[in-house]
Amino acid sequence: MKVLVINAGSSSLKYQLFEMPEGRVLAKGLCECIAIEGGCITHKRPGKDNYKVEVQLDNHETALSWVLKLLADSEYGVIADISEIEAVGHRIAHGGEKLKRSCLIDDGVIKYLYSIVKINPLHGPPAIAGMEGCRKLMKDVPMVGVFDTSFHSTMPDHAYVYPIPYELYEQKSIRRYGFHGTSHRYVANRVAELMGKKIEDLKIITCHLGNGSSITAINGGKVVDTSMGFTPQEGILMGTRSGTVDPTIIPYLVGEGMTIDEVEKMLNKQSGLLGVSGVSSDSRAVCDAAAEGNPRAQLALRIQYYGIKKYIGAYTAAMNGLDALVFTAGIGENDALLRQEVCRDMDYLGIVLDGELNRTLPRGTEAELSAKDAKVRTWLVPTDEEFMIAQDTAKLASL
Ligand code: ADP
């Protein structure tokens, strides 16, 4: 069964065509600069040269029509006709309070997603545009929505209700939702498999550390807490986002003459690794600057390590124990120094790395990193959200 996975961002659209159930990737690619100057598509097929085409992409539907054309192209394609695509899976950042698991997309789902755009203003509109584009271009092909928030929907109310007036939760749906759920779900299930145990029998902390970062506590397969909240702004320091700060900083700065939009931009786009280091939002550049002795780059990294450490401690307490600690995503998979520093002096909790293995492991390899006899087993598991989406899509579309 061929399943197309679509991940639509505000000016980009990523795609992957899978052969399911085995999960073989037939082709994948990225459409960039949708609705702005400089549109281009990079189309990749395993074992073949990449193909790059520069083309004006007026909207997500135009981008999708190009994707379908490329997939079935006689020279660059991997299928004879788009009718071979039996289902489409959409990555959707926010499922709100109602969409708690992956589901077939119908009019009702799209209507609900429109109704929650207010709480998901950046990612909601492009995701809906991707779904509507597919509906037009691939009329009767079943579509499945896979939501970043849904894995977190098992959190108990004491983890998701903020200690502000309860009416704000009831009337305005202000609560912790959590994000990156598909990634946390994938790596948690994968680590259980690698350990040869049932996820129901494990206490796991998953650290998804990329440009955006979140940490999740999973007890018996169910999320009990996660660091991102009402938006992906909460939690640890990220590439350009501050993570959690004292909220009173906001009215204070407004009182000092900044507009609310400027404060929002500052917290979202000018903070985190970039804001503290003054170097870059890219952790590689910050690590290089720190290695050369830049004190602000060193400070930015220390804040990051310390933040992650505190969540691991808190979530171990929340679960009364920990069996597995997992690192994933761009930084988690590639940055050995970060893993070493986060796990330094954590032997009290039973976390001890094999330093040599952690340092020398080929980048992005699936592997256990803990020292022999460590009580907690620490793992590196490269994430694969697209495969998870393809799996859910194949399952729901076959019902
Ligand atoms: P996104 O949240 O955009 O999906 P990614 O998961 O791709 O982000 O992670 C991007 C981050 O991973 C960047 O900060 C980048 O510097 C970092 N990263 C990627 N490769 C390496 C590496 N080899 N060493 C350290 N950091 C890396």
Side-chain angles (χ1 to χ4, degrees):
M1 177 180 200
K2 293 186 175 59
V3 173
L4 178 63
V5 172
I6 299 288
N7 180 356
S10 54
S11 64
S12 69
L13 186 145
K14 289 187 202 148
Y15 61 93
Q16 275 196 42
L17 183 66
F18 284 91
E19 184 68 62
M20 297 303 287
E22 60 268 37
R24 189 158 51 89
V25 177
L26 303 174
K28 63 179 176 178
L30 168 68
C31 307
E32 291 172 279
C33 299
I34 297 174
I36 47 179
E37 285 284 297
C40 80
I41 306 176
T42 311
H43 180 67
K44 302 180 179 177
R45 294 151 301 161
K48 302 216 171 125
D49 287 343
N50 292 351
Y51 174 63
K52 197 164 176 173
V53 52
E54 287 179 17
V55 57
Q56 176 68 26
L57 300 168
D58 291 332
N59 52 42
H60 287 80
E61 192 186 322
T62 319
L64 270 167
S65 66
W66 268 95
V67 169
L68 297 177
K69 205 152 85 180
L70 282 170
L71 289 172
D73 186 81
S74 56
E75 197 174 347
Y76 303 106
V78 290
I79 49 177
D81 190 90
I82 62 163
S83 60
E84 289 180 40
I85 301 172
E86 286 183 71
V88 181
H90 292 267
R91 180 201 175 189
I92 304 172
H94 214 311
E97 282 248 87
K98 286 207 181 130
L99 299 172
K100 295 191 167 169
R101 52 185 63 89
S102 303
C103 66
L104 283 165
I105 294 168
D106 57 17
D107 289 343
V109 169
I110 293 189
K111 196 165 157 213
Y112 178 69
L113 291 174
Y114 268 115
S115 78
I116 59 166
V117 157
K118 222 158 113 181
I119 58 169
N120 183 29
L122 292 183
H123 301 106
I128 295 171
M131 285 176 260
E132 288 184 332
C134 274
R135 272 187 148 188
K136 271 199 203 157
L137 298 165
M138 308 173 75
K139 287 191 177 56
D140 296 324
V141 177
M143 294 197 297
V144 169
V146 179
F147 309 95
D148 276 9
T149 46
S150 55
F151 186 48
H152 301 301
S153 66
T154 52
M155 268 185 289
D157 54 3
H158 57 256
Y160 72 72
V161 173
Y162 288 113
I164 54 178
Y166 193 73
E167 295 71 26
L168 290 171
Y169 163 58
E170 288 180 311
Q171 291 160 17
K172 298 198 181 292
S173 302
I174 294 179
R175 53 162 284 179
R176 176 181 312 283
Y177 289 99
F179 296 89
H180 294 139
T182 310
S183 173
H184 290 292
R185 175 159 64 111
Y186 174 79
V187 296
N189 280 289
R190 184 72 193 130
V191 88
E193 248 171 66
L194 291 167
M195 290 171 75
K197 300 220 162 136
K198 286 199 204 127
I199 195 166
E200 288 77 15
D201 298 331
L202 292 172
K203 295 172 178 173
I204 306 173
I205 294 176
T206 48
C207 303
H208 176 110
L209 310 172
N211 284 316
S213 298
S214 66
I215 301 177
T216 296
I218 303 149
N219 194 349
K222 293 203 159 70
V223 170
V224 293
D225 207 348
T226 189
S227 61
M228 281 181 169
F230 178 58
T231 71
Q233 173 69 34
E234 194 179 345
I236 60 161
L237 157 154
M238 307 176 212
T240 60
R241 286 176 228 151
S242 61
T244 304
V245 294
D246 181 341
T248 310
I249 294 171
I250 299 163
Y252 178 78
L253 289 174
V254 170
E256 292 283 295
M258 279 175 85
T259 66
I260 197 71
D261 285 350
E262 284 167 348
V263 177
E264 211 266 329
K265 188 171 168 204
M266 179 275 287
L267 291 171
N268 207 4
K269 305 254 185 249
Q270 299 164 343
S271 294
L273 288 177
L274 172 67
V276 178
S277 72
V279 173
S280 172
S281 63
D282 190 301
S283 91
R284 278 166 295 194
V286 180
C287 288
D288 290 348
E292 285 162 15
N294 180 323
R296 271 176 49 190
Q298 291 170 348
L299 174 62
L301 294 177
R302 278 188 281 121
I303 296 172
Q304 184 188 35
Y305 305 152
Y306 182 58
I308 299 168
K309 225 180 220 295
K310 285 204 291 187
Y311 270 104
I312 294 170
Y315 287 171
T316 305
M319 294 191 287
N320 186 26
L322 181 63
D323 299 303
L325 173 65
V326 189
F327 289 96
T328 194
I331 298 174
E333 291 168 27
N334 292 297
D335 189 346
L337 179 65
L338 171 133
R339 295 191 301 262
Q340 174 195 300
E341 292 305 309
V342 166
C343 297
R344 184 188 290 285
D345 297 333
M346 296 277 262
D347 49 311
Y348 180 80
L349 290 186
I351 299 168
V352 185
L353 283 196
D354 178 330
E356 176 67 16
L357 178 65
N358 179 51
R359 249 192 323 278
T360 53
L361 192 75
R363 287 177 193 282
T365 316
E366 202 172 58
E368 180 171 1
L369 304 171
S370 30
K372 254 202 197 126
D373 306 328
K375 202 166 74 189
V376 173
R377 296 177 70 184
T378 301
W379 295 84
L380 192 168
V381 180
T383 193
D384 197 346
E385 289 157 286
E386 284 78 13
F387 174 60
M388 193 91 261
I389 296 171
Q391 264 192 332
D392 282 9
T393 303
K395 198 152 74 191
L396 285 163
S398 311
L399 291 178

Short mmCIF file of all heavy atoms in Angstrom, two decimals, residues 210-212 281-284 329-331 334-335 363, ligand 1:
data_model
loop_
_atom_site.label_atom_id
_atom_site.label_comp_id
_atom_site.label_asym_id
_atom_site.label_seq_id
_atom_site.Cartn_x
_atom_site.Cartn_y
_atom_site.Cartn_z
N GLY A 210 15.56 19.61 19.20
CA GLY A 210 15.87 20.11 17.86
C GLY A 210 15.84 21.62 17.90
O GLY A 210 16.21 22.22 18.91
N ASN A 211 15.40 22.25 16.81
CA ASN A 211 15.20 23.71 16.88
C ASN A 211 14.15 24.02 17.93
O ASN A 211 14.25 24.97 18.69
CB ASN A 211 14.77 24.25 15.52
CG ASN A 211 15.94 24.33 14.57
OD1 ASN A 211 17.01 24.77 14.96
ND2 ASN A 211 15.75 23.88 13.35
N GLY A 212 13.08 23.22 17.89
CA GLY A 212 12.10 23.23 18.99
C GLY A 212 12.39 22.01 19.83
O GLY A 212 12.77 20.97 19.29
N SER A 281 21.02 30.56 16.21
CA SER A 281 20.02 29.66 16.80
C SER A 281 20.44 28.21 16.54
O SER A 281 19.86 27.28 17.08
CB SER A 281 18.66 29.91 16.15
OG SER A 281 18.73 29.60 14.76
N ASP A 282 21.44 28.03 15.67
CA ASP A 282 21.86 26.68 15.30
C ASP A 282 22.86 26.17 16.33
O ASP A 282 23.91 26.78 16.54
CB ASP A 282 22.50 26.74 13.90
CG ASP A 282 22.76 25.35 13.35
OD1 ASP A 282 23.50 24.58 13.99
OD2 ASP A 282 22.20 25.03 12.30
N SER A 283 22.54 25.04 16.93
CA SER A 283 23.37 24.60 18.05
C SER A 283 24.81 24.29 17.63
O SER A 283 25.73 24.43 18.41
CB SER A 283 22.72 23.42 18.77
OG SER A 283 23.14 22.23 18.24
N ARG A 284 25.00 23.89 16.36
CA ARG A 284 26.38 23.61 15.92
C ARG A 284 27.23 24.87 15.98
O ARG A 284 28.37 24.84 16.46
CB ARG A 284 26.39 23.07 14.48
CG ARG A 284 26.11 21.60 14.42
CD ARG A 284 25.79 21.16 13.03
NE ARG A 284 24.54 21.78 12.55
CZ ARG A 284 23.87 21.40 11.50
NH1 ARG A 284 24.31 20.41 10.76
NH2 ARG A 284 22.75 21.98 11.16
N ALA A 329 16.01 13.67 17.88
CA ALA A 329 15.94 14.90 17.05
C ALA A 329 17.34 15.48 16.85
O ALA A 329 18.32 14.99 17.43
CB ALA A 329 14.98 15.91 17.62
N GLY A 330 17.43 16.52 16.00
CA GLY A 330 18.72 17.06 15.53
C GLY A 330 19.80 17.15 16.58
O GLY A 330 20.91 16.65 16.38
N ILE A 331 19.50 17.76 17.71
CA ILE A 331 20.53 17.93 18.75
C ILE A 331 20.68 16.64 19.56
O ILE A 331 21.80 16.16 19.78
CB ILE A 331 20.16 19.11 19.68
CG1 ILE A 331 20.11 20.42 18.86
CG2 ILE A 331 21.14 19.23 20.84
CD1 ILE A 331 19.62 21.63 19.62
N ASN A 334 22.65 14.07 17.57
CA ASN A 334 23.99 14.38 17.03
C ASN A 334 24.98 14.99 18.01
O ASN A 334 26.17 15.01 17.74
CB ASN A 334 23.84 15.35 15.86
CG ASN A 334 23.17 14.71 14.68
OD1 ASN A 334 23.69 13.76 14.11
ND2 ASN A 334 21.99 15.20 14.33
N ASP A 335 24.49 15.53 19.09
CA ASP A 335 25.37 16.32 19.96
C ASP A 335 25.79 15.49 21.19
O ASP A 335 25.11 15.46 22.22
CB ASP A 335 24.61 17.59 20.38
CG ASP A 335 25.51 18.58 21.09
OD1 ASP A 335 26.62 18.20 21.50
OD2 ASP A 335 25.08 19.73 21.25
N ARG A 363 27.16 9.27 14.22
CA ARG A 363 26.02 10.17 14.40
C ARG A 363 24.71 9.50 14.00
O ARG A 363 24.64 8.81 12.99
CB ARG A 363 26.18 11.40 13.53
CG ARG A 363 27.21 12.33 14.04
CD ARG A 363 27.39 13.50 13.12
NE ARG A 363 28.59 14.24 13.45
CZ ARG A 363 28.68 15.09 14.47
NH1 ARG A 363 27.64 15.31 15.23
NH2 ARG A 363 29.79 15.71 14.73
P1 ADP B 1 13.51 20.90 13.85
O1 ADP B 1 12.95 21.22 15.20
O2 ADP B 1 13.56 22.06 12.92
O3 ADP B 1 12.95 19.63 13.22
P2 ADP B 1 15.98 19.37 14.00
O4 ADP B 1 15.48 18.20 14.73
O5 ADP B 1 16.36 19.21 12.56
O6 ADP B 1 15.06 20.63 14.16
O7 ADP B 1 17.27 19.93 14.80
C1 ADP B 1 17.95 21.05 14.40
C2 ADP B 1 19.07 21.29 15.41
O8 ADP B 1 19.92 20.14 15.43
C3 ADP B 1 19.95 22.49 15.07
O9 ADP B 1 20.20 23.26 16.22
C4 ADP B 1 21.23 21.83 14.60
O10 ADP B 1 22.34 22.62 14.87
C5 ADP B 1 21.26 20.58 15.44
N1 ADP B 1 22.16 19.62 14.85
C6 ADP B 1 22.06 18.99 13.68
N2 ADP B 1 23.18 18.25 13.44
C7 ADP B 1 24.00 18.45 14.50
C8 ADP B 1 25.30 17.99 14.86
N3 ADP B 1 25.96 17.19 14.06
N4 ADP B 1 25.80 18.39 16.06
C9 ADP B 1 25.14 19.22 16.85
N5 ADP B 1 23.91 19.69 16.55
C10 ADP B 1 23.36 19.32 15.41
#
